[in-house]
Amino acid sequence: MSEEIIEALNKQLNQELRNAYLYFAMAAYFQGLALSGFAHYFMVQAKEEVEHALKFYEYLTKRGWRVELYEVTPEKKNWSSVEEAVRDFYEAEKSNTQRIWRLVELAQKQGDKATEAFLQWFVNEQVEEEEQAMDLRTKVELVKGNIAALLALDRVLAERK
Ligand code: FEO
């Protein structure tokens, strides 16, 4: 693998951890609002991001490269509303899709078939991730200002596996 690809994969590993931090911060924010369903939803999301980081870790080490961990600082730790938080969730996932696509383009440009094949899982995963985030953002916009509907949504989110 080229130095450029190794560095880009390492960066994405660290980006997945940054996203995990962001979603842990969102879980804590929602817990503070006593919206434990939302908090649970983002806790599950944060754990998924750690799993994504591990996939990069395993791939890099399997190919014989050492993983480099950066300092992880959360982009944001607080939000002024439920709407703002779920909008940030959707934006974070859209940005992640772009990063994955750029990685795929880099692998293609360098003829690195193994990395391209490895990244395909993430290409598909991002379709799911964006759809999930968009769905939550739309639901939150629909219930805006209606506390009973927000609490009903909170109960639904508590079911996330
Ligand atoms: Fe790891 Fe939500 O993308």
Side-chain angles (χ1 to χ4, degrees), residues 134-160:
M134 188 165 50
D135 183 69
L136 182 59
R137 192 195 61 168
T138 306
K139 285 192 169 86
V140 165
E141 276 168 9
L142 283 172
V143 305
K144 199 170 184 229
N146 182 334
I147 300 296
L150 183 69
L151 293 177
L153 177 57
D154 189 58
R155 283 194 293 277
V156 170
L157 296 183
E159 304 294 318
R160 183 177 180 184

Side-chain angles (χ1 to χ4, degrees), residues 12 16 19 23 45 48-49 52-53 89 92-93 96 122 125-126 129:
Q12 186 58 32
E16 299 289 346
N19 285 351
Y23 301 143
Q45 188 64 37
E48 276 193 11
E49 300 304 342
H52 296 170
F89 174 34
E93 289 306 328
N96 210 47
F122 286 92
E125 176 70 4
Q126 279 311 121
E129 297 268 270

